[in-house]
Amino acid sequence: MKTKIVTKKHFEFYGCDTVELAREYGTPLYVMSEDHIIERCNEIKEDFLQKYENTRAVYASKAFLTKEMCRIIKREGLGIDVVSGGELYVAIKSEFPMEKVIFHGNNKTFSELELAVENNVGRIVVDNLYELEMLNNIASEFDKKMEILFRITPGVDSHTHKFISTGQLDSKFGIPLDEEILYGAIYKAIQMPNIELKGFHFHVGSQLFENTSHLKALEILINLMKEAKERVGFETRELNVGGGFGIYYKNGDERAKLRDFMDPIMECLKSECREFNLSIPQVIIEPGRWIVGEAGITLYRIGSIKKIPGVRTYVGINGGLPDNPRPALYDAKYEAVVANKMDEENEDIVTIAGKCCESGDILIWDLEVPRLTPGDILAVKSTGAYNYSMASNYNKIPRPAVVMVKDGQERVIVKRETYEDLIAREI
Ligand code: LLP
Protein backbone atom coordinates (compact mmCIF):
# COMPACT_ATOMS: atom_id res chain seq x y z
CA MET A 1 0.00 0.00 0.00
CA LYS A 2 1.40 3.35 -0.95
CA THR A 3 -0.05 6.77 -1.49
CA LYS A 4 0.33 8.07 -5.01
CA ILE A 5 1.44 11.54 -6.00
CA VAL A 6 -1.15 12.83 -8.38
CA THR A 7 -0.18 15.16 -11.23
CA LYS A 8 -2.66 17.26 -13.18
CA LYS A 9 -1.75 15.46 -16.36
CA HIS A 10 -2.95 12.17 -14.99
CA PHE A 11 -6.47 10.96 -14.36
CA GLU A 12 -7.09 10.72 -10.65
CA PHE A 13 -9.51 8.17 -9.27
CA TYR A 14 -10.44 8.56 -5.62
CA GLY A 15 -7.04 10.02 -4.75
CA CYS A 16 -4.97 7.57 -6.82
CA ASP A 17 -2.97 8.34 -9.92
CA THR A 18 -4.32 5.87 -12.44
CA VAL A 19 -1.24 6.04 -14.66
CA GLU A 20 0.85 4.98 -11.69
CA LEU A 21 -1.59 2.17 -10.93
CA ALA A 22 -1.29 0.93 -14.52
CA ARG A 23 2.50 1.07 -14.31
CA GLU A 24 2.65 -0.69 -10.99
CA TYR A 25 0.07 -3.44 -11.54
CA GLY A 26 -0.10 -3.77 -15.31
CA THR A 27 -3.08 -3.56 -17.65
CA PRO A 28 -5.87 -4.32 -18.20
CA LEU A 29 -6.61 -3.52 -14.59
CA TYR A 30 -9.88 -3.28 -12.72
CA VAL A 31 -9.73 -0.51 -10.13
CA MET A 32 -12.48 -0.38 -7.52
CA SER A 33 -13.09 2.41 -5.03
CA GLU A 34 -13.99 1.32 -1.54
CA ASP A 35 -14.81 4.97 -0.77
CA HIS A 36 -17.53 4.94 -3.42
CA ILE A 37 -18.95 1.66 -2.13
CA ILE A 38 -19.08 3.10 1.39
CA GLU A 39 -20.80 6.27 0.10
CA ARG A 40 -23.51 4.16 -1.53
CA CYS A 41 -23.95 2.05 1.61
CA ASN A 42 -24.28 5.25 3.65
CA GLU A 43 -26.95 6.54 1.29
CA ILE A 44 -28.83 3.28 1.78
CA LYS A 45 -28.57 3.65 5.55
CA GLU A 46 -29.60 7.30 5.63
CA ASP A 47 -32.32 7.30 3.01
CA PHE A 48 -33.81 3.89 3.61
CA LEU A 49 -32.73 1.80 6.59
CA GLN A 50 -32.73 4.58 9.17
CA LYS A 51 -35.61 6.45 7.59
CA TYR A 52 -38.02 3.53 7.55
CA GLU A 53 -38.38 1.00 10.30
CA ASN A 54 -38.48 -2.72 9.61
CA THR A 55 -36.39 -2.56 6.45
CA ARG A 56 -33.35 -4.45 5.20
CA ALA A 57 -30.87 -4.03 2.36
CA VAL A 58 -28.85 -6.74 0.69
CA TYR A 59 -26.15 -6.28 -1.91
CA ALA A 60 -26.77 -8.28 -5.13
CA SER A 61 -23.36 -9.90 -5.24
CA LYS A 62 -23.62 -11.02 -8.87
CA ALA A 63 -22.60 -7.45 -9.76
CA PHE A 64 -19.12 -7.86 -8.25
CA LEU A 65 -18.10 -10.54 -5.80
CA THR A 66 -14.85 -11.29 -4.04
CA LYS A 67 -14.13 -12.22 -0.45
CA GLU A 68 -12.94 -8.67 0.17
CA MET A 69 -16.21 -7.30 -1.19
CA CYS A 70 -18.08 -9.55 1.24
CA ARG A 71 -15.97 -8.18 4.09
CA ILE A 72 -16.76 -4.60 3.09
CA ILE A 73 -20.49 -5.32 2.85
CA LYS A 74 -20.42 -7.18 6.16
CA ARG A 75 -18.64 -4.26 7.84
CA GLU A 76 -21.19 -1.83 6.36
CA GLY A 77 -23.96 -3.90 7.90
CA LEU A 78 -25.81 -4.95 4.74
CA GLY A 79 -26.77 -8.48 3.76
CA ILE A 80 -25.97 -10.10 0.43
CA ASP A 81 -27.93 -11.87 -2.24
CA VAL A 82 -26.40 -14.87 -3.99
CA VAL A 83 -27.66 -16.76 -7.02
CA SER A 84 -25.49 -19.85 -7.11
CA GLY A 85 -23.56 -22.30 -5.00
CA GLY A 86 -20.40 -20.52 -6.14
CA GLU A 87 -21.53 -17.12 -4.90
CA LEU A 88 -22.70 -18.73 -1.67
CA TYR A 89 -19.32 -20.40 -1.30
CA VAL A 90 -17.54 -17.04 -1.53
CA ALA A 91 -19.85 -15.69 1.19
CA ILE A 92 -19.18 -18.74 3.38
CA LYS A 93 -15.43 -18.45 2.87
CA SER A 94 -15.46 -14.80 3.86
CA GLU A 95 -17.37 -15.64 7.03
CA PHE A 96 -20.35 -13.61 6.00
CA PRO A 97 -23.22 -13.89 8.52
CA MET A 98 -25.42 -16.52 6.92
CA GLU A 99 -28.65 -15.20 8.40
CA LYS A 100 -28.09 -12.11 6.21
CA VAL A 101 -27.81 -14.10 2.98
CA ILE A 102 -30.67 -14.36 0.49
CA PHE A 103 -30.45 -17.16 -2.06
CA HIS A 104 -31.98 -16.56 -5.51
CA GLY A 105 -32.03 -18.53 -8.74
CA ASN A 106 -34.53 -20.01 -11.19
CA ASN A 107 -33.02 -23.49 -11.15
CA LYS A 108 -31.17 -24.11 -7.93
CA THR A 109 -29.72 -27.58 -7.87
CA PHE A 110 -29.99 -30.17 -5.13
CA SER A 111 -26.40 -29.64 -4.04
CA GLU A 112 -26.78 -25.85 -4.03
CA LEU A 113 -29.86 -26.09 -1.82
CA GLU A 114 -28.09 -28.60 0.38
CA LEU A 115 -25.19 -26.17 0.83
CA ALA A 116 -27.69 -23.43 1.71
CA VAL A 117 -29.58 -25.56 4.25
CA GLU A 118 -26.41 -26.91 5.80
CA ASN A 119 -25.11 -23.36 6.27
CA ASN A 120 -28.40 -21.91 7.56
CA VAL A 121 -28.87 -19.35 4.79
CA GLY A 122 -31.35 -16.74 6.03
CA ARG A 123 -33.80 -16.67 3.14
CA ILE A 124 -34.32 -18.84 0.12
CA VAL A 125 -36.27 -17.10 -2.61
CA VAL A 126 -38.13 -20.03 -4.09
CA ASP A 127 -38.76 -19.75 -7.80
CA ASN A 128 -41.01 -22.74 -8.53
CA LEU A 129 -42.79 -25.78 -7.10
CA TYR A 130 -40.04 -28.20 -8.05
CA GLU A 131 -37.62 -26.21 -5.92
CA LEU A 132 -40.13 -25.90 -3.08
CA GLU A 133 -40.47 -29.66 -2.75
CA MET A 134 -36.77 -30.29 -3.06
CA LEU A 135 -36.04 -27.69 -0.38
CA ASN A 136 -38.62 -29.13 1.99
CA ASN A 137 -37.08 -32.59 1.60
CA ILE A 138 -33.55 -31.36 2.16
CA ALA A 139 -34.61 -29.27 5.16
CA SER A 140 -36.35 -32.31 6.62
CA GLU A 141 -33.15 -34.39 6.23
CA PHE A 142 -31.29 -31.72 8.20
CA ASP A 143 -34.19 -31.39 10.63
CA LYS A 144 -34.42 -27.66 9.94
CA LYS A 145 -37.12 -25.20 9.00
CA MET A 146 -36.11 -22.94 6.11
CA GLU A 147 -37.56 -19.45 5.79
CA ILE A 148 -38.56 -18.63 2.27
CA LEU A 149 -40.05 -16.00 0.00
CA PHE A 150 -41.78 -16.78 -3.26
CA ARG A 151 -40.47 -14.97 -6.31
CA ILE A 152 -43.50 -13.63 -8.14
CA THR A 153 -43.50 -12.64 -11.80
CA PRO A 154 -45.59 -9.48 -11.54
CA GLY A 155 -46.16 -9.29 -15.28
CA VAL A 156 -44.87 -5.75 -15.79
CA ASP A 157 -42.50 -4.54 -18.45
CA SER A 158 -39.58 -2.33 -17.46
CA HIS A 159 -37.92 0.20 -19.71
CA THR A 160 -34.54 -1.36 -20.16
CA HIS A 161 -32.71 -3.75 -22.47
CA LYS A 162 -34.81 -6.89 -22.90
CA PHE A 163 -31.98 -9.13 -21.69
CA ILE A 164 -31.94 -7.37 -18.32
CA SER A 165 -35.70 -7.04 -17.98
CA THR A 166 -37.07 -9.73 -15.69
CA GLY A 167 -40.57 -8.88 -14.45
CA GLN A 168 -42.62 -9.42 -17.60
CA LEU A 169 -45.12 -12.33 -17.75
CA ASP A 170 -43.11 -14.19 -20.38
CA SER A 171 -40.07 -14.66 -18.15
CA LYS A 172 -38.06 -17.63 -16.95
CA PHE A 173 -38.03 -16.14 -13.45
CA GLY A 174 -40.59 -16.67 -10.75
CA ILE A 175 -44.11 -17.90 -10.24
CA PRO A 176 -46.62 -16.43 -12.70
CA LEU A 177 -49.78 -14.71 -11.51
CA ASP A 178 -51.89 -17.70 -12.33
CA GLU A 179 -54.58 -18.59 -9.78
CA GLU A 180 -53.97 -22.28 -9.81
CA ILE A 181 -50.18 -22.23 -9.87
CA LEU A 182 -49.74 -19.40 -7.40
CA TYR A 183 -52.30 -20.44 -4.80
CA GLY A 184 -51.30 -24.05 -5.26
CA ALA A 185 -47.77 -23.04 -4.27
CA ILE A 186 -48.82 -20.85 -1.34
CA TYR A 187 -51.14 -23.50 0.01
CA LYS A 188 -48.49 -26.15 -0.30
CA ALA A 189 -45.80 -24.03 1.35
CA ILE A 190 -47.86 -23.12 4.39
CA GLN A 191 -48.57 -26.77 5.03
CA MET A 192 -45.02 -27.98 4.64
CA PRO A 193 -43.39 -28.93 7.94
CA ASN A 194 -39.89 -27.77 7.04
CA ILE A 195 -40.78 -24.55 5.26
CA GLU A 196 -41.84 -21.21 6.62
CA LEU A 197 -43.26 -18.90 4.00
CA LYS A 198 -42.47 -15.31 5.01
CA GLY A 199 -43.64 -13.38 1.97
CA PHE A 200 -42.90 -12.44 -1.60
CA HIS A 201 -40.21 -11.11 -3.87
CA PHE A 202 -40.18 -9.36 -7.22
CA HIS A 203 -37.46 -7.87 -9.38
CA VAL A 204 -38.56 -5.96 -12.44
CA GLY A 205 -35.31 -5.22 -14.25
CA SER A 206 -31.94 -3.56 -14.12
CA GLN A 207 -30.46 -0.11 -14.87
CA LEU A 208 -33.78 1.68 -14.34
CA PHE A 209 -34.01 5.44 -13.87
CA GLU A 210 -37.58 5.66 -12.70
CA ASN A 211 -39.69 3.54 -10.44
CA THR A 212 -42.88 3.17 -12.47
CA SER A 213 -42.37 -0.57 -13.01
CA HIS A 214 -41.58 -1.06 -9.31
CA LEU A 215 -44.78 0.80 -8.40
CA LYS A 216 -46.86 -1.22 -10.84
CA ALA A 217 -45.41 -4.44 -9.47
CA LEU A 218 -45.99 -3.22 -5.93
CA GLU A 219 -49.70 -2.63 -6.63
CA ILE A 220 -49.97 -6.16 -7.92
CA LEU A 221 -48.15 -7.59 -4.92
CA ILE A 222 -50.31 -5.64 -2.45
CA ASN A 223 -53.31 -7.14 -4.13
CA LEU A 224 -51.78 -10.56 -3.73
CA MET A 225 -51.07 -9.87 -0.04
CA LYS A 226 -54.71 -8.90 0.44
CA GLU A 227 -56.07 -11.92 -1.40
CA ALA A 228 -53.70 -14.39 0.25
CA LYS A 229 -54.91 -13.16 3.63
CA GLU A 230 -58.56 -13.45 2.68
CA ARG A 231 -58.33 -16.76 0.87
CA VAL A 232 -55.84 -18.79 2.87
CA GLY A 233 -55.27 -16.64 5.95
CA PHE A 234 -51.67 -16.03 4.95
CA GLU A 235 -50.16 -12.88 6.41
CA THR A 236 -47.26 -11.44 4.39
CA ARG A 237 -44.43 -10.50 6.73
CA GLU A 238 -41.74 -9.71 4.17
CA LEU A 239 -41.76 -8.04 0.79
CA ASN A 240 -38.58 -7.92 -1.26
CA VAL A 241 -38.80 -5.34 -4.05
CA GLY A 242 -35.54 -6.30 -5.78
CA GLY A 243 -32.88 -3.98 -7.12
CA GLY A 244 -32.41 -2.37 -10.51
CA PHE A 245 -31.61 1.25 -9.63
CA GLY A 246 -29.79 2.92 -12.50
CA ILE A 247 -26.31 4.49 -12.50
CA TYR A 248 -24.29 6.90 -14.63
CA TYR A 249 -22.61 5.39 -17.69
CA LYS A 250 -22.81 8.13 -20.27
CA ASN A 251 -23.84 11.71 -20.88
CA GLY A 252 -27.57 12.00 -20.14
CA ASP A 253 -27.60 9.36 -17.38
CA GLU A 254 -28.00 10.38 -13.78
CA ARG A 255 -27.52 7.93 -10.96
CA ALA A 256 -30.91 7.23 -9.40
CA LYS A 257 -31.35 8.73 -5.93
CA LEU A 258 -32.45 6.01 -3.59
CA ARG A 259 -35.00 8.25 -1.91
CA ASP A 260 -36.61 9.14 -5.25
CA PHE A 261 -37.01 5.44 -5.90
CA MET A 262 -37.99 4.23 -2.46
CA ASP A 263 -40.02 7.06 -0.89
CA PRO A 264 -42.98 6.61 -3.26
CA ILE A 265 -42.77 2.84 -2.83
CA MET A 266 -42.84 3.11 0.97
CA GLU A 267 -45.66 5.70 0.85
CA CYS A 268 -47.75 3.55 -1.43
CA LEU A 269 -47.17 0.44 0.67
CA LYS A 270 -48.08 2.20 3.90
CA SER A 271 -51.25 3.79 2.63
CA GLU A 272 -52.53 0.70 0.85
CA CYS A 273 -51.79 -1.57 3.79
CA ARG A 274 -53.73 0.84 5.96
CA GLU A 275 -56.60 0.87 3.50
CA PHE A 276 -56.77 -2.92 3.25
CA ASN A 277 -56.14 -3.48 6.93
CA LEU A 278 -52.90 -5.38 6.34
CA SER A 279 -49.88 -5.16 8.59
CA ILE A 280 -46.94 -3.49 6.85
CA PRO A 281 -44.41 -6.16 5.93
CA GLN A 282 -40.67 -5.79 6.27
CA VAL A 283 -39.35 -4.25 3.06
CA ILE A 284 -36.11 -5.50 1.54
CA ILE A 285 -34.13 -3.99 -1.33
CA GLU A 286 -31.30 -5.68 -3.22
CA PRO A 287 -29.27 -3.29 -5.36
CA GLY A 288 -26.15 -4.54 -7.11
CA ARG A 289 -25.06 -2.18 -9.88
CA TRP A 290 -26.04 0.90 -7.88
CA ILE A 291 -23.52 0.03 -5.16
CA VAL A 292 -20.53 -0.95 -7.28
CA GLY A 293 -21.08 0.24 -10.87
CA GLU A 294 -19.57 3.70 -10.57
CA ALA A 295 -17.06 2.40 -8.02
CA GLY A 296 -15.06 0.79 -10.81
CA ILE A 297 -12.90 1.79 -13.74
CA THR A 298 -10.82 -0.34 -16.09
CA LEU A 299 -7.37 0.72 -17.25
CA TYR A 300 -6.04 -0.47 -20.63
CA ARG A 301 -2.91 0.19 -22.59
CA ILE A 302 -3.34 1.43 -26.13
CA GLY A 303 -1.50 -0.47 -28.85
CA SER A 304 -2.20 -0.46 -32.57
CA ILE A 305 -3.80 2.58 -34.14
CA LYS A 306 -5.36 1.90 -37.52
CA LYS A 307 -6.53 4.85 -39.64
CA ILE A 308 -8.83 4.01 -42.54
CA PRO A 309 -8.83 7.26 -44.52
CA GLY A 310 -12.33 8.68 -44.86
CA VAL A 311 -13.81 5.88 -42.73
CA ARG A 312 -12.62 5.74 -39.09
CA THR A 313 -9.69 5.16 -36.78
CA TYR A 314 -9.59 1.96 -34.78
CA VAL A 315 -7.58 2.11 -31.57
CA GLY A 316 -6.61 -1.28 -30.19
CA ILE A 317 -6.54 -1.87 -26.44
CA ASN A 318 -5.08 -4.84 -24.59
CA GLY A 319 -8.47 -6.07 -23.33
CA GLY A 320 -12.09 -5.79 -24.37
CA LEU A 321 -14.83 -8.38 -24.60
CA PRO A 322 -13.28 -10.87 -22.14
CA ASP A 323 -13.08 -8.27 -19.36
CA ASN A 324 -16.20 -6.36 -20.42
CA PRO A 325 -18.77 -8.23 -22.51
CA ARG A 326 -21.50 -5.63 -21.90
CA PRO A 327 -21.15 -3.62 -25.15
CA ALA A 328 -21.39 -6.83 -27.18
CA LEU A 329 -24.24 -8.25 -25.08
CA TYR A 330 -26.39 -5.21 -24.35
CA ASP A 331 -25.04 -2.53 -26.66
CA ALA A 332 -23.85 -0.83 -23.47
CA LYS A 333 -22.20 2.57 -23.82
CA TYR A 334 -19.19 3.76 -21.84
CA GLU A 335 -17.21 6.94 -21.36
CA ALA A 336 -13.42 6.95 -21.20
CA VAL A 337 -10.48 9.30 -20.82
CA VAL A 338 -6.84 9.06 -21.80
CA ALA A 339 -5.41 8.84 -18.32
CA ASN A 340 -1.91 10.16 -19.12
CA LYS A 341 -3.10 13.12 -21.25
CA MET A 342 -5.63 14.87 -19.04
CA ASP A 343 -4.06 18.25 -19.83
CA GLU A 344 -4.37 17.85 -23.61
CA GLU A 345 -7.26 18.99 -25.81
CA ASN A 346 -9.34 16.44 -27.68
CA GLU A 347 -8.39 16.40 -31.36
CA ASP A 348 -9.61 13.13 -32.80
CA ILE A 349 -12.61 10.85 -32.82
CA VAL A 350 -11.67 7.18 -32.60
CA THR A 351 -13.22 3.78 -32.06
CA ILE A 352 -11.89 1.69 -29.19
CA ALA A 353 -11.48 -1.90 -30.36
CA GLY A 354 -10.96 -4.87 -28.06
CA LYS A 355 -8.35 -7.49 -28.89
CA CYS A 356 -10.64 -10.46 -29.44
CA CYS A 357 -10.97 -12.27 -32.71
CA GLU A 358 -14.49 -10.97 -33.01
CA SER A 359 -15.69 -7.99 -35.07
CA GLY A 360 -18.28 -7.25 -32.37
CA ASP A 361 -15.54 -6.63 -29.84
CA ILE A 362 -15.80 -2.84 -29.90
CA LEU A 363 -15.75 -1.19 -26.51
CA ILE A 364 -16.58 2.38 -27.50
CA TRP A 365 -17.62 3.88 -30.84
CA ASP A 366 -16.62 7.44 -31.64
CA LEU A 367 -14.73 8.53 -28.58
CA GLU A 368 -13.21 12.02 -28.53
CA VAL A 369 -9.56 11.86 -27.56
CA PRO A 370 -6.34 13.89 -27.61
CA ARG A 371 -3.73 12.85 -30.18
CA LEU A 372 -2.95 9.23 -29.25
CA THR A 373 0.28 7.29 -29.26
CA PRO A 374 0.80 3.60 -28.54
CA GLY A 375 1.42 3.13 -24.83
CA ASP A 376 -1.20 5.66 -23.71
CA ILE A 377 -3.48 4.53 -20.88
CA LEU A 378 -7.21 4.47 -21.45
CA ALA A 379 -9.47 4.64 -18.38
CA VAL A 380 -13.00 3.38 -19.02
CA LYS A 381 -15.48 4.53 -16.38
CA SER A 382 -18.39 2.88 -14.57
CA THR A 383 -17.08 -0.64 -15.05
CA GLY A 384 -17.55 -1.78 -11.45
CA ALA A 385 -20.71 -3.83 -12.02
CA TYR A 386 -21.00 -6.93 -14.19
CA ASN A 387 -17.51 -6.61 -15.68
CA TYR A 388 -15.23 -8.55 -13.35
CA SER A 389 -18.16 -10.85 -12.55
CA MET A 390 -18.92 -11.58 -16.22
CA ALA A 391 -15.32 -11.77 -17.41
CA SER A 392 -14.19 -14.77 -19.46
CA ASN A 393 -11.00 -16.24 -20.86
CA TYR A 394 -12.14 -16.04 -24.46
CA ASN A 395 -9.16 -16.28 -26.81
CA LYS A 396 -7.30 -17.52 -23.73
CA ILE A 397 -6.83 -14.00 -22.48
CA PRO A 398 -6.00 -14.01 -18.75
CA ARG A 399 -8.35 -12.05 -16.54
CA PRO A 400 -7.11 -8.73 -15.11
CA ALA A 401 -6.13 -8.11 -11.51
CA VAL A 402 -8.44 -6.14 -9.24
CA VAL A 403 -7.08 -3.30 -7.16
CA MET A 404 -9.17 -1.73 -4.39
CA VAL A 405 -8.46 1.89 -3.54
CA LYS A 406 -9.36 3.70 -0.35
CA ASP A 407 -8.22 7.07 0.99
CA GLY A 408 -5.67 7.41 -1.83
CA GLN A 409 -4.08 4.05 -1.08
CA GLU A 410 -4.44 0.85 -3.02
CA ARG A 411 -4.32 -2.87 -2.37
CA VAL A 412 -4.55 -5.79 -4.77
CA ILE A 413 -7.59 -7.89 -3.92
CA VAL A 414 -7.44 -10.29 -6.88
CA LYS A 415 -4.18 -11.28 -8.56
CA ARG A 416 -3.84 -11.14 -12.33
CA GLU A 417 -4.38 -14.49 -14.02
CA THR A 418 -1.32 -16.05 -15.61
CA TYR A 419 -0.92 -18.25 -18.69
CA GLU A 420 -0.21 -21.08 -16.26
CA ASP A 421 -3.63 -20.46 -14.62
CA LEU A 422 -5.23 -20.89 -18.04
CA ILE A 423 -4.19 -24.53 -18.23
CA ALA A 424 -4.05 -25.31 -14.51
CA ARG A 425 -7.19 -27.48 -14.51
CA GLU A 426 -6.43 -29.32 -17.73
CA ILE A 427 -5.66 -33.02 -17.48
N1 LLP B 1 -32.17 -9.01 -7.48
C1 LLP B 1 -32.44 -9.89 -8.44
C2 LLP B 1 -33.37 -10.97 -8.18
C3 LLP B 1 -31.80 -9.79 -9.67
O1 LLP B 1 -32.09 -10.66 -10.63
C4 LLP B 1 -30.87 -8.75 -9.90
C5 LLP B 1 -30.16 -8.64 -11.17
C6 LLP B 1 -30.61 -7.85 -8.86
C7 LLP B 1 -31.29 -8.00 -7.66
C8 LLP B 1 -29.63 -6.73 -8.99
O2 LLP B 1 -29.93 -5.87 -10.02
P1 LLP B 1 -29.11 -4.49 -10.15
O3 LLP B 1 -29.42 -3.70 -8.90
O4 LLP B 1 -27.69 -4.81 -10.24
O5 LLP B 1 -29.64 -3.85 -11.36
N2 LLP B 1 -25.57 -8.59 -16.46
C9 LLP B 1 -26.50 -7.52 -16.63
C10 LLP B 1 -27.36 -7.31 -15.41
C11 LLP B 1 -28.17 -8.51 -15.01
C12 LLP B 1 -28.97 -8.29 -13.78
C13 LLP B 1 -29.61 -9.54 -13.33
N3 LLP B 1 -30.32 -9.45 -12.12
C14 LLP B 1 -25.74 -6.25 -16.99
O6 LLP B 1 -24.54 -6.29 -17.10
O7 LLP B 1 -26.36 -5.20 -17.18
Side-chain angles (χ1 to χ4, degrees):
M1 290 223 292
K2 42 181 114 73
T3 310
K4 301 294 181 189
I5 300 151
V6 176
T7 89
K8 269 196 193 144
K9 292 180 186 171
H10 292 178
F11 173 55
E12 180 190 328
F13 186 66
Y14 285 89
C16 283
D17 181 328
T18 56
V19 179
E20 281 298 317
L21 289 177
R23 200 169 296 156
E24 178 90 22
Y25 303 101
T27 51
L29 183 69
Y30 293 120
V31 183
M32 298 292 293
S33 160
E34 186 170 345
D35 303 293
H36 183 95
I37 295 167
I38 294 170
E39 278 169 29
R40 298 281 69 73
C41 291
N42 285 340
E43 192 175 330
I44 290 175
K45 288 178 211 167
E46 277 159 33
D47 286 353
F48 182 63
L49 297 175
Q50 286 154 9
K51 190 165 172 182
Y52 299 105
E53 59 182 35
N54 201 18
T55 48
R56 278 199 294 147
V58 296
Y59 164 62
S61 70
K62 73 202 80 173
F64 174 83
L65 181 63
T66 66
K67 289 197 290 177
E68 185 62 356
M69 186 64 196
C70 282
R71 282 181 212 115
I72 294 170
I73 291 296
K74 176 174 156 184
R75 190 194 61 215
E76 295 303 308
L78 271 54
I80 66 167
D81 117 25
V82 299
V83 292
S84 71
E87 287 185 353
L88 178 56
Y89 182 78
V90 179
I92 294 169
K93 285 292 170 187
S94 59
E95 290 170 10
F96 200 87
M98 283 296 125
E99 71 280 4
K100 287 186 164 182
V101 174
I102 298 186
F103 193 8
H104 281 288
N106 65 306
N107 185 28
K108 303 176 192 78
T109 64
F110 186 89
S111 60
E112 285 176 325
L113 286 175
E114 211 170 33
L115 187 68
V117 174
E118 207 178 335
N119 286 281
N120 302 316
V121 164
R123 289 290 174 282
I124 313 283
V125 180
V126 172
D127 201 89
N128 51 66
L129 265 180
Y130 165 73
E131 179 187 338
L132 181 69
E133 294 192 353
M134 186 154 63
L135 181 63
N136 186 50
N137 290 340
I138 296 170
S140 129
E141 299 250 309
F142 282 85
D143 202 15
K144 289 181 180 175
K145 193 160 191 153
M146 297 305 287
E147 296 180 322
I148 70 157
L149 303 182
F150 272 136
R151 178 165 183 164
I152 305 295
T153 323
V156 302
D157 282 325
S158 54
H159 303 283
T160 190
H161 192 284
K162 70 171 189 290
F163 290 172
I164 52 176
S165 174
T166 46
Q168 71 279 14
L169 176 64
D170 188 357
S171 166
K172 70 168 182 170
F173 297 107
I175 301 175
L177 288 168
D178 174 280
E179 284 260 333
E180 224 170 285
I181 304 175
L182 181 55
Y183 280 97
I186 295 175
Y187 201 65
K188 205 160 214 170
I190 53 184
Q191 295 192 325
M192 280 175 160
N194 298 88
I195 294 289
E196 187 179 342
L197 178 63
K198 289 279 201 180
F200 304 104
H201 165 276
F202 68 81
H203 174 77
V204 284
S206 200
Q207 182 59 1
L208 303 173
F209 289 109
E210 27 118 332
N211 62 1
T212 42
S213 321
H214 280 82
L215 284 169
K216 274 193 217 155
L218 181 67
E219 288 280 346
I220 290 164
L221 265 287
I222 293 172
N223 233 348
L224 170 62
M225 284 163 54
K226 186 171 148 257
E227 265 191 28
K229 191 177 170 188
E230 287 164 4
R231 290 171 61 159
V232 284
F234 174 70
E235 184 115 27
T236 305
R237 278 156 295 163
E238 289 179 20
L239 183 63
N240 183 326
V241 300
F245 320 130
I247 62 156
Y248 183 94
Y249 281 103
K250 57 177 193 311
N251 199 5
D253 294 345
E254 196 186 336
R255 184 192 328 126
K257 285 205 174 58
L258 194 65
R259 58 171 176 270
D260 293 345
F261 244 91
M262 290 311 296
D263 287 354
I265 291 175
M266 298 307 283
E267 287 303 308
C268 171
L269 183 68
K270 262 191 208 162
S271 75
E272 302 222 349
C273 282
R274 209 173 298 132
E275 191 184 329
F276 297 135
N277 204 20
L278 297 165
S279 38
I280 301 169
Q282 178 175 75
V283 178
I284 302 130
I285 56 169
E286 45 189 27
R289 187 192 317 267
W290 191 84
I291 294 178
V292 286
E294 289 174 56
I297 58 171
T298 309
L299 303 176
Y300 303 94
R301 197 168 284 277
I302 286 169
S304 68
I305 299 173
K306 168 184 170 170
K307 266 197 183 96
I308 312 174
V311 181
R312 69 172 61 247
T313 301
Y314 285 100
V315 170
I317 50 168
N318 58 349
L321 187 141
D323 63 76
N324 184 358
R326 299 192 70 259
L329 273 175
Y330 316 119
D331 198 22
K333 304 280 185 275
Y334 286 91
E335 288 183 349
V337 292
V338 180
N340 55 314
K341 291 185 172 166
M342 295 303 282
D343 57 338
E344 294 182 28
E345 296 285 314
N346 287 338
E347 287 186 34
D348 295 318
I349 294 183
V350 302
T351 291
I352 306 296
K355 68 184 265 93
C356 273
C357 216
E358 194 78 48
S359 294
D361 182 14
I362 301 292
L363 209 57
I364 304 175
W365 294 95
D366 301 327
L367 177 71
E368 284 187 56
V369 288
R371 190 54 41 91
L372 293 177
T373 35
D376 284 342
I377 299 296
L378 187 77
V380 178
K381 299 181 186 175
S382 290
T383 60
Y386 304 108
N387 279 218
Y388 168 77
S389 62
M390 290 174 77
S392 75
N393 286 131
Y394 184 43
N395 289 174
K396 281 281 186 272
I397 293 171
R399 272 173 281 217
V402 185
V403 163
M404 185 69 79
V405 305
K406 183 169 190 296
D407 299 329
Q409 296 194 307
E410 83 283 359
R411 60 191 194 275
V412 177
I413 64 163
V414 182
K415 282 192 287 190
R416 182 174 300 285
E417 263 179 348
T418 62
Y419 287 152
E420 194 50 42
D421 290 331
L422 296 178
I423 53 167
R425 285 170 297 110
E426 289 190 23
I427 293 160

